[in-house]
Amino acid sequence: MLRYVARRTLYMLLALFVIISVTFFISKALPGTPFADDKLTPQIRKQLYEKYGLDEPILVQYEKYMLNVAQGDLGNSFYFESRPVSQMILQRLPVSMFIGVQAVIFGLVIGMVLGIVAALRHNTLWDTLAVVVAVLGVSVPSFVLGPILQYWLGLKLGWFPIAFFESWIYSVLPSLALSVFVISTVARFIRTEMLEVMGQDYITLAKAKGLSGLAVILKHVLRNALIPLVTVMAPLTIYLITGSLVVEQIFAVPGIGEQFVQSIVVNDYSMILGTTIFFSVLFILALLIQDIMYGIIDPRIRISGAKE
Amino acid sequence: METRHRELDPRLFESVEIDAYEGERIAGPPVGFWKDSWVRLKKNRGALISLAVLVLVFIVAFVIGPLISTHSPYDQNMTQRYLGPTSDYWFGTDKFGRDMWTRVWAGARVSLYIGLLAALLDIFVGVVYGAVSGYLGGRVDDVMQRIIEILNGIPSLIIAILAMIVFNPGIITISIAIGLTGWTFMARIVRGRMIQLKDQEFALASRSLGASGFRVVWKHLIPNSLGLIVINLMFTIPSAIFAEAFLSFIGLGIQVPEASLGSLISDGAGELRFHPYLLWLPSIVFCLLMICFNLLGDGLRDALDPKMRK
Amino acid sequence: MAMNNDNILEVRDLRISFGTYAGEVQAVRGVSFDLRRRETLAIVGESGSGKSVTAKSLMRLLPEANTIFKGGEAIFDGRDLLKLSEKQMQRVRGPKIAMVFQDPMTSLDPTMKVGNQISESLRKHLGMSRAKARERSVELLKLVGIPNAEERVKQYPHQFSGGMRQRVVIAIALACEPQILIADEPTTALDVTIQAQILDLLRELQEKIGTSVILITHDLGVVASVADRIAVMYAGKIVEMGTVRETFYDPQMPYTWGLLASIPLPTADRSQDLIPIPGSPPDMSDPPKGCPFTARCPYAMRVCPTEFPEYTTFSAEHKAACWLHHPMAPNVEPPARVGGTR
Ligand SMILES: Nc1ncnc2c1ncn2[C@@H]1O[C@H](COP(=O)(O)OP(=O)(O)OP(=O)(O)O)[C@@H](O)[C@H]1O
Ligand SMILES: [Mg+2]
């Protein structure tokens, strides 16, 4: 188990290293920094270059950059004069987290119920419903769903505000827009997994012991079907990250995603790269936690360190 | 003997050639893999309808749409802004008075084009990588797999965003950005299949007859993995289409005055309050594409590989 | 018909089909047999002949979704198993009838400790406390010959080898000392030396507990060493049935001849004598209306494909269904390879 965790951690660190290096070299290759402005005198430009350390040899810059990033220093925003990127990110994190976590909780609950019912009532109306939701959920992206919700629940029915973030009620539509994909992913996953497990020999054996249908489901089917659900954690994290970019934009939510999109519009490169690194760390952490959790709940990995 | 026997025609007890009865009982010629799959696919109504809709969208987007319209997707006409669907402008006009009908189909063309290009890249990078890794095995495979494991730790859409910032945004950049990050899944699947197949008898037989490694892979292993590859492509395509629309939605993809479904949806979302048709039309076409590709993918998976049913 | 006191189970005219996309698959087409107290009845036959379906239908473990019950009865304890409610059936499974499956690698729940998998039925049917059930599971593991049982109950299935897992499955089946044990190819997935150990174990435990066993297999060697009686199945029907002695030394049906010719004799030079039966069994979604073996039978006559033959009785136990026993049929001697076993 320990070796397994160590190996996974190593890969994740390597991936992180690759990403940060890529962002660094990209930042060097960028077509125009804000300081390429012709209106600046060479004098001022030189001062600026010195201030941001842009005049040193590239490898020195690289080393400095890596060290800074390792300490959580993502540099200063080009656009909002010298405000630290990491501070700006952390400031906006709570709002994004709130909307994302709310969407995941809602999506997990509804998705699990739907998936379980669909599998237990295989080939009935419930099952069809789950399949339809699953296909719609992966086919209708949040940037289509968001405006639909805005139009229908916000403008037509007037139930929820359609923009900004002032109280909980403002979070409903953005979370809902994000959660449909979660619902469909989870429902589809659980349904497939349960149908698969229910066809296994060990379920027949459990029935052959004379256990009641409910006991078979609770003790054997669900246990085996839910373990692999851990593996949707990383994909869901990456979905929430990318989803937050568009959903926060649509609903004018002051979160990290909205800030990221704005920084693209104004070419705030240090902000873009910093946020990219932050997103990558988030994703890699999710991946790592996912792998470790899988190892903890699945005895096949916990004990022998590998799946058969 | 206690059993009572009925009187029967003695001729019934003449012995007969076995073949006579064997011939009678053979159900029909054995059906090939692809034919068998097609039979199964035909039973799946959702997949068939999706296929038909996709073909239709293809024809309308590339041929009929532009041909039967007298407008161009780029001509601005400030006197005819926000027209709403009329008999002249079937899908209405946008805030610059541009014809939405032709713009939506131009966007659909971009989506379809991206989907196909991503599929090609998936084949050239993913299949080749997986085949090489799986067929060679040993150390090479080890290293190649470790590389994939590292790549899987990199959030691909975020990398695509960076690529779009560095290089000139445009259809080629988008395709490459999406294609370069999306192939690892295919590589894993193909590798797994290669490993499973390469020690089977037909491959061994072919190798023992002196066939080169390349020949074995190309003539035996790839054809036997084709079902799996096709299934996977059917899921690469909608995710590439999604990725392009996503990038265009946040302003990083196709640049004005070109149109993409993503950028049209983004524009439409801004006009929601007063001109909702600008959102509905591109959204409907986009979701239709996505739903059809996903349903067709599901159908193909069930048809080509019944065991993989998910 | 009154139940014979010696019989613990009487199966009459069992018919089971499955609804599939290719049509109705008639897996079992009128199977009748008795199971005596404390005996071992072997059911043999090629793959797909309906052995497992017969067995699972007695436990009512066939998938509800596509199983079509066409008729028949299975009298156990004066009740028809096939008509019991699901609740009543749950009280039969485990303490009355238990089952061992073919593949030990997939028969155990990978996420549950072996001890708990044994305790489950003890607690449910015998009402044991957790501690008592645990104690008993250790005893059971010892009984089936697993060393270090105290440690082993706390382990997961993947920490056991195939043979050990099958022992665990047997321990689960025997936990409540059932009256009938159905073993569906319990040794097919194991290698030869382990096979012998498992069979010995089954026989030993049968004597200890006094269960009746239905042993399903396609290995006639296994039958010879453990069974009392044998039922030969072909295409969803029993084509010959008798004591092992009678059936092996005096087989009465060309399919049985073929089966016997296809097993290695312990004495003979194996490489020369094995004769597989040419051809393959019929498609059960459209079974032949006559004798299903006709297409592969070297002695086929015109009458064979027209109607399924009646059973001819040769002794109190021995009967076979074959047109060759009709008085009007020509006299046919079994082939030398089979005759040699006489
Ligand atoms: N759930 C099911 N759905 C459809 N057909 C089935 C099902 N279960 C069994 N069958 C069919 O019923 C027939 C008999 O199967 P069965 O499993 O009883 O064979 P068997 O004699 O046990 O063979 P084997 O020696 O391979 O275990 C086969 O043709 C099989 O395909
Ligand atoms: Mg079987």
Side-chain angles (χ1 to χ4, degrees), chain C residues 59-129:
Chain C
M59 288 281 271
R60 297 261 300 273
L61 288 173
L62 291 168
E64 273 166 46
N66 67 344
T67 306
I68 312 166
F69 173 65
K70 308 283 281 191
E73 51 185 22
I75 308 293
F76 170 80
D77 254 1
R79 295 185 299 179
D80 184 356
L81 291 176
L82 304 174
K83 298 208 170 59
L84 293 186
S85 71
E86 174 60 25
K87 268 256 134 38
Q88 291 170 318
M89 204 56 216
Q90 282 165 14
R91 286 195 285 271
V92 171
R93 297 185 194 124
K96 308 278 191 221
I97 309 181
M99 196 157 172
V100 172
F101 296 93
Q102 174 169 353
D103 188 356
M105 302 313 273
T106 57
S107 302
L108 293 170
D109 186 334
T111 59
M112 193 186 265
K113 286 179 185 155
V114 161
N116 291 344
Q117 300 197 41
I118 304 177
S119 313
E120 264 186 333
S121 48
L122 294 172
R123 298 189 59 188
K124 156 110 196 196
H125 299 294
L126 307 181
M128 288 187 184
S129 68

Side-chain angles (χ1 to χ4, degrees), chain A residues 138-174:
Chain A
V138 294
S139 303
V140 181
S142 44
F143 55 79
V144 171
L145 200 64
I148 290 178
L149 291 177
Q150 261 180 337
Y151 185 77
W152 179 46
L153 297 182
L155 290 178
K156 288 280 122 151
L157 297 176
W159 290 355
F160 302 100
I162 60 166
F164 307 118
F165 195 82
E166 278 150 28
S167 64
W168 175 78
I169 194 87
Y170 287 80
S171 74
V172 173
L173 290 187

Side-chain angles (χ1 to χ4, degrees), chain C residues 16-20 25-28 44-56 62-63 66-67 102 184-185 216-218 233 236 282-285:
Chain C
I16 310 275
S17 292
F18 294 101
T20 69
V25 174
Q26 304 180 20
V28 175
V44 301
E46 274 170 304
S47 202
S49 54
K51 307 181 299 288
S52 298
V53 173
T54 304
K56 283 193 183 147
L62 291 168
N66 67 344
T67 306
Q102 174 169 353
D184 189 354
E185 311 199 24
I216 296 172
T217 175
H218 26 207
M233 273 190 84
D283 174 10
M284 298 311 289
S285 57

Side-chain angles (χ1 to χ4, degrees), chain A residues 177-188:
Chain A
L178 283 175
S179 70
V180 168
F181 180 83
V182 183
I183 293 176
S184 76
T185 311
V186 172
R188 173 187 263 231

Side-chain angles (χ1 to χ4, degrees), chain B residues 18 21-22 25, chain C residues 26-27 29 46 48-49 232-240 253-255 277-284 286-297 300 303-311 321-323:
Chain B
I18 316 173
Y21 291 103
E22 200 146 42
R25 291 231 50 85
Chain C
Q26 304 180 20
R29 304 185 296 147
E46 274 170 304
S49 54
V232 179
M233 273 190 84
Y234 189 80
K237 284 177 180 285
I238 291 184
V239 292
E240 179 158 2
M253 145 93 204
Y255 176 63
I277 308 173
S280 53
D283 174 10
M284 298 311 289
D286 178 24
K289 68 178 189 302
C291 170
F293 190 58
T294 309
R296 299 163 76 187
C297 181
V303 69
C304 296
T306 62
E307 199 180 327
F308 190 76
E310 286 163 56
Y311 288 97
C322 181
W323 281 111

